[in-house]
Amino acid sequence: MIRQYDYDNMPIVEIVNDMIIDAARRKASDIHFDQTPTDLMVRIRIDGELVMYAQVPAAVKKNLITRIKIIAGMNITESRLPQDGAIRSNVDGLNLDLRVSSLPTVYGEKVVIRILDYSMSLQGLETLGFSSKNYEKVQRIIKKPNGIVMVTGATGTGKSTTVYTMLQILNTTARNVITVEDPVEMKLAGVNQVQTMSEIGLTFASALRSILRQDPDVIMIGEIRDNETARIAVRASITGHLVLSTIHTNNSLNTIERLVDMDVERYLLGSALEGIISQRLCKKLCPKCRSSRKATPYEQAVFKSALHMDVTDLYTPVGCSECYNGYKGRVALHEVLVINQDIRDAVVNNMRKEDLRHLIYDNEDMTSILQDGLLKVMEGLTSFEEVLRVIDVDDDLGENDSELKDAIIGKRRNLTSSDNEEVQDEITNDSQNVETSEVETEEKKPETLSDPTFPEPPENQVSEMEMLDI
């Protein structure tokens, strides 16, 4: 529990304001108000992890939820349907931009407040954690006169921050920049931003058709969600426009597959796609309390397989008064793919997935998300455990990466001979114990059947299964 409030004497207005301001100052990304049978549980998400914040008594929990809905501009008389709202205010010197969502549950309305912070977008591309190699590739990609650039990742991995940062660079008086978003998360001076409203027919696809008649130089699509939007975006990129967009995929290879699955013609995708930026977020080590330790044989095996490098020391989280369990903030892991002619030909010719993976990743210029994460571990930015937490072994690694897969899942190919003998002895002993147990069971089986304490049922007794059949 982080905070205690005097719910009997403190006004609800002050409690709600204090919760929001304190969460924002703690760099939380979300505030969760979860209904329970007895009270209201409040949790905040810090560095991607939910932590307990406060417990609101049942006597005041309804008033607290009502206050949030009032300041978010939501209908306080409707509690049976989900609602969305927004809060924009300046409190105690903090510019708050919040998105509020309510959801009816069996115990009452659950409310989630998302705290939007796009300060990173205003600080420039170099502050987003790109390595020098990836930073140079991103600069090359956004200088293309036309084509489509995809920023990919799961929800909450900073895709919008990266896209807005690139828009800041492209936003000049010499360019006509138009965006279509749902919702418009950050207002940019000099950029024509369109908010979709599906209830009146203003969808991504319909807005894009009109945007193409507005003489745009750069088009930003908040998210490619359906086949029609994907096809229009690709066709717009090959007619002289630079298109930026996001999509929910894990890596570069999956992005190509997803666009093909959305009925984008391969010959168009091969010529339109210019670059893919995939990213994930992991917790950042606190620079004040992190400590150095010796790398384990398991960790050394993973570094050797992934980077072909020998490591002896790594940083580990400790914990202090200025961080949470040794972590403070988050750092992005990136994978930047610049589409070359070989990849274009492979996409057009429908190359097999594993062959395409080999073409993309077996390239000296390509750094995978795992490799970028391990490099950041060596720099002391994050921990080895955090990188493995965000890596999907089955999805991110292919058939040709069997040695690296074995190292990550713990087969430890670098064990010493004595360790191997001990492991083999354990396996042998386990198998012998299993065989002995099976033999003993078979020997005891007749005795159990003839035991008078377990009499056989009468012949005319109907079993449960037979009764069901009847």
Side-chain angles (χ1 to χ4, degrees):
M1 193 82 64
I2 296 178
R3 294 296 298 271
Q4 297 283 350
Y5 291 97
D6 184 2
Y7 295 101
D8 294 329
N9 301 312
M10 193 173 178
I12 287 294
V13 172
E14 293 183 14
I15 293 175
V16 171
N17 289 347
D18 186 78
M19 284 182 175
I20 294 174
I21 293 169
D22 187 49
R25 285 179 174 162
R26 292 176 186 271
K27 301 297 182 183
S29 60
D30 301 271
I31 310 173
H32 289 245
F33 298 87
D34 298 310
Q35 299 281 355
T36 70
T38 57
D39 54 21
L40 183 69
M41 183 172 63
V42 184
R43 296 178 294 171
I44 60 177
R45 189 178 295 279
I46 299 177
D47 300 337
E49 184 176 344
L50 280 173
V51 296
M52 191 66 186
Y53 183 77
Q55 280 186 301
V56 180
V60 297
K61 68 176 186 179
K62 187 173 182 180
N63 293 340
L64 189 142
I65 295 296
T66 301
R67 173 59 187 171
I68 295 173
K69 293 175 70 175
I70 288 173
I71 61 178
M74 301 161 70
N75 184 0
I76 62 173
T77 63
E78 180 58 77
S79 60
R80 301 166 300 170
L81 295 173
Q83 294 186 63
D84 294 316
I87 303 172
R88 292 184 181 88
S89 180
N90 187 301
V91 184
D92 290 351
L94 285 176
N95 288 317
L96 297 176
D97 190 358
L98 314 175
R99 298 290 182 268
V100 184
S101 172
S102 69
L103 182 71
T105 68
V106 291
Y107 296 121
E109 281 187 289
K110 171 183 169 61
V111 171
V112 175
I113 300 176
R114 168 153 288 192
I115 303 173
L116 301 178
D117 181 11
Y118 291 104
S119 57
M120 294 289 291
S121 301
L122 304 175
Q123 296 175 15
L125 200 62
E126 60 277 2
T127 64
L128 299 185
F130 287 101
S131 65
S132 56
K133 182 193 291 186
N134 285 337
Y135 177 76
E136 187 273 331
K137 288 197 286 186
V138 173
Q139 290 279 23
R140 258 193 294 153
I141 289 172
I142 61 178
K143 288 180 180 176
K144 300 283 186 180
N146 52 61
I148 186 167
V149 179
M150 302 297 303
V151 180
T152 76
T155 302
T157 55
K159 298 187 300 296
S160 297
T161 300
T162 302
V163 171
Y164 277 128
T165 304
M166 291 192 291
L167 276 182
Q168 295 274 3
I169 299 172
L170 295 169
N171 182 22
T172 64
T173 56
R175 293 189 180 98
N176 178 21
V177 183
I178 305 179
T179 74
V180 51
E181 308 170 61
D182 182 25
V184 175
E185 297 178 345
M186 178 181 177
K187 293 181 180 178
L188 301 173
V191 177
N192 304 284
Q193 296 174 275
V194 178
Q195 164 75 57
T196 63
M197 289 180 283
S198 56
E199 61 272 13
I200 62 171
L202 184 59
T203 62
F204 279 102
S206 62
L208 276 174
R209 293 190 191 94
S210 298
I211 287 172
L212 291 175
R213 294 191 289 271
Q214 290 284 317
D215 186 31
D217 296 296
V218 179
I219 302 171
M220 193 277 274
I221 304 169
E223 182 184 346
I224 292 181
R225 300 177 179 175
D226 54 64
N227 297 4
E228 187 178 9
T229 304
R231 289 195 298 270
I232 296 174
V234 170
R235 290 183 180 276
S237 67
I238 62 175
T239 55
H241 310 97
L242 180 63
V243 178
L244 308 179
S245 189
T246 69
I247 195 169
H248 289 284
T249 55
N250 290 332
N251 52 47
S252 304
L253 182 62
N254 287 353
T255 303
I256 295 173
E257 287 188 322
R258 177 69 58 82
L259 291 172
V260 171
D261 289 341
M262 286 182 163
D263 294 334
V264 177
E265 295 88 344
R266 286 184 172 273
Y267 71 94
L268 291 177
L269 182 61
S271 59
L273 196 58
E274 291 293 342
I276 302 172
I277 303 169
S278 305
Q279 60 185 57
R280 295 173 201 174
L281 294 179
C282 63
K283 289 185 282 188
K284 190 176 182 179
L285 283 173
C286 175
K288 292 195 174 181
C289 68
R290 68 183 183 183
S291 66
S292 180
R293 62 169 175 82
K294 294 292 182 183
T296 65
Y298 166 62
E299 292 165 341
Q300 291 175 345
V302 174
F303 273 93
K304 189 69 174 177
S305 298
L307 298 176
H308 307 292
M309 298 173 65
D310 296 317
V311 296
T312 55
D313 298 291
L314 297 176
Y315 286 97
T316 188
V318 176
C320 66
S321 59
E322 297 189 13
C323 66
Y324 296 91
N325 300 322
Y327 296 99
K328 186 177 182 180
R330 288 191 286 179
V331 62
L333 312 183
H334 295 103
E335 175 183 290
V336 182
L337 174 65
V338 180
I339 306 297
N340 56 32
Q341 190 58 48
D342 291 336
I343 297 176
R344 295 185 195 281
D345 294 340
V347 172
V348 172
N349 296 325
N350 195 12
M351 179 181 283
R352 199 172 68 94
K353 180 177 180 179
E354 282 305 316
D355 294 334
L356 183 58
R357 183 192 298 273
H358 178 77
L359 181 64
I360 291 174
Y361 292 105
D362 291 356
N363 186 343
E364 293 182 358
D365 193 45
M366 184 66 178
T367 303
S368 68
I369 288 181
L370 173 61
Q371 291 171 331
D372 189 56
L374 294 178
L375 289 172
K376 286 181 168 70
V377 170
M378 294 176 65
E379 296 174 16
L381 293 175
T382 187
S383 65
F384 181 80
E385 295 78 14
E386 267 298 293
V387 171
L388 291 194
R389 182 182 66 84
V390 301
I391 295 297
D392 187 343
V393 176
D394 294 329
D395 198 26
D396 293 336
L397 303 176
E399 297 174 356
N400 298 329
D401 301 314
S402 57
E403 183 178 349
L404 180 56
K405 275 187 177 180
D406 292 346
I408 291 177
I409 64 177
K411 290 191 176 179
R412 304 187 184 185
R413 293 181 177 273
N414 62 330
L415 288 174
T416 62
S417 57
S418 59
D419 291 333
N420 282 326
E421 290 175 2
E422 291 178 3
V423 172
Q424 187 62 40
D425 291 340
E426 291 178 2
I427 295 173
T428 304
N429 292 335
D430 290 342
S431 61
Q432 289 176 351
N433 292 336
V434 171
E435 292 175 0
T436 305
S437 175
E438 290 176 352
V439 172
E440 291 176 355
T441 303
E442 290 177 358
E443 291 176 353
K444 291 180 180 180
K445 191 173 182 181
E447 297 178 4
T448 304
L449 291 174
S450 61
D451 194 329
T453 59
F454 298 99
E456 294 183 3
E459 293 181 0
N460 61 349
Q461 183 173 339
V462 181
S463 67
E464 292 183 4
M465 293 301 295
E466 292 172 339
M467 291 177 65
L468 289 174
D469 290 337
I470 293 171

